[in-house]
Amino acid sequence: QGLKRLGVTYLQLGMVETMIRMAKEKEELAQKNLEYVKTRAGLGQGAQLDVRIAETKINLTRAEAEKMRTTKSVLLDELKFILGVPFVQKVELQLNEAPRQVLEDFNPANVTDEKLKKHSFPLRIHEYEKALQKKSIALSYIHFLPTFSFGFTSISTLNNTSYKEDTSTLPFMYPNLTLNMPFDFWTKGRDVSRQYKKMAQLNVEGRNLEFSLMSQFQQALAKLRAAISELKFAESNVELQKLLVQQAQFRFDSGQVEYDAIVKAMSDYLDIKQTLLAKKYDRDAAMLDVRCISGDFQDRYINATVMESI
């Protein structure tokens, strides 16, 4: 879970870093639009209200960029907290390839039921509980066996004479063996039955744990497939908007529309690209969730046998 939290934070940092660059593009576009509006107003073809609107758009893009930088700062602090790095220490990150660094070459198709069960700590703990219960069953049968006790008894316990009297013909201590036979077979039989019922209950709990694990993994896969579908839809929207930008540029060059048509098309294009970034993050986060459930982190980063031997 700690590795998953670290991966999610790093993915968020990568997305925010890209959105900061896009906010800069929005600001440059708004600046060009302001120059265009001022030029039209100077020629008497526009109103001062248009200029104020253009200036407000610039302030809006700057505020958006500042919001993203604040979010990045918060995420960096969280990353330092997870890694145990002092908050005052500067951290340099390579965020251009954040998804590749976090997800690496993980492929959900390689995950099998056996791997899921092998890496499930609840199931492994349950197996230990079943092993202990088997010992409890064996112990309940042992209670049917007679008990033996061996010891030494002093002569004085059976002889009223004093130690000072002549007892040289007898040993000072002699061994004895005691055999105790259990007669409460009904009570012990009930204990055996109870231990078997506990084992049956553990077997049912084990099947429930396996079902919950498989269900959790299937839900994570379904979430991943949905995120991939939404990402493809967003990519199609980006391609469509890119064509609309080219169309607006062509119409402007041919004198069919004003420059503000290009500005609007470009603004819509950048907004849809931001949506695409969010969908990419959703896809990567869903993939990371699948990787965490599959136990792939244990194989790559955790030596569980060391902890088990402690």
Side-chain angles (χ1 to χ4, degrees), residues 48-226:
Q48 287 299 320
L49 180 61
D50 295 333
V51 176
R52 292 177 58 187
I53 292 174
E55 291 174 344
T56 303
K57 288 182 178 180
I58 292 179
N59 294 332
L60 185 62
T61 56
R62 289 174 179 172
E64 182 180 0
E66 182 62 28
K67 178 183 177 182
M68 290 295 103
R69 284 190 288 268
T70 302
T71 302
K72 180 181 178 180
S73 178
V74 172
L75 290 172
L76 276 175
D77 288 341
E78 182 175 356
L79 185 71
K80 291 177 183 179
F81 174 77
I82 297 173
L83 297 176
V85 177
F87 291 109
V88 296
Q89 182 174 335
K90 188 176 180 181
V91 177
E92 296 291 341
L93 302 176
Q94 300 294 331
L95 298 172
N96 294 331
E97 298 291 336
R100 183 187 59 80
Q101 295 179 57
V102 172
L103 299 175
E104 298 179 304
D105 57 350
F106 173 72
N107 186 0
N110 296 331
V111 180
T112 62
D113 294 349
E114 290 73 17
K115 287 184 178 181
L116 281 176
K117 296 177 183 178
K118 174 185 175 183
H119 295 104
S120 173
F121 282 105
L123 281 178
R124 293 167 68 180
I125 293 173
H126 186 73
E127 289 300 321
Y128 283 117
E129 292 175 347
K130 288 175 63 177
L132 290 174
Q133 185 57 32
K134 289 181 180 179
K135 296 181 182 297
S136 297
I137 293 176
L139 184 62
S140 65
Y141 278 109
I142 292 177
H143 291 161
F144 282 98
L145 300 176
T147 58
F148 299 87
S149 61
F150 178 79
F152 292 89
T153 304
S154 171
I155 297 176
S156 60
T157 59
L158 300 176
N159 192 349
N160 293 328
T161 61
S162 171
Y163 282 111
K164 296 180 180 179
E165 296 180 1
D166 185 15
T167 57
S168 59
T169 58
L170 297 174
F172 180 73
M173 302 288 289
Y174 67 92
N176 65 80
L177 179 66
T178 304
L179 176 65
N180 296 318
M181 295 293 296
F183 292 99
D184 53 341
F185 296 107
W186 184 72
T187 302
K188 291 179 170 53
R190 287 182 57 190
D191 183 56
V192 172
S193 177
R194 182 167 57 252
Q195 298 301 330
Y196 273 110
K197 288 181 179 179
K198 287 183 179 180
M199 177 59 76
Q201 182 180 359
L202 285 175
N203 290 331
V204 173
E205 291 176 356
R207 289 192 292 270
N208 290 337
L209 284 174
E210 291 181 6
F211 176 79
S212 298
L213 176 64
M214 298 304 172
S215 177
Q216 183 183 10
F217 184 70
Q218 291 300 324
Q219 290 176 6
L221 284 178
K223 183 179 178 181
L224 175 61
R225 287 192 291 268

Side-chain angles (χ1 to χ4, degrees), residues 287-301:
M287 182 73 77
L288 183 64
D289 191 30
V290 172
R291 186 183 184 189
C292 180
I293 297 173
S294 69
D296 187 68
F297 288 152
Q298 298 178 38
D299 291 337
R300 289 181 179 267
Y301 306 114

Side-chain angles (χ1 to χ4, degrees), residues 13-35:
L13 281 168
M15 179 184 66
V16 170
E17 181 72 14
T18 306
M19 284 195 170
I20 290 175
R21 293 196 296 267
M22 292 188 62
K24 184 65 176 178
E25 293 182 23
K26 281 188 173 184
E27 183 180 350
E28 294 174 355
L29 179 63
Q31 188 67 42
K32 292 179 181 180
N33 182 56
L34 177 61
E35 295 174 358

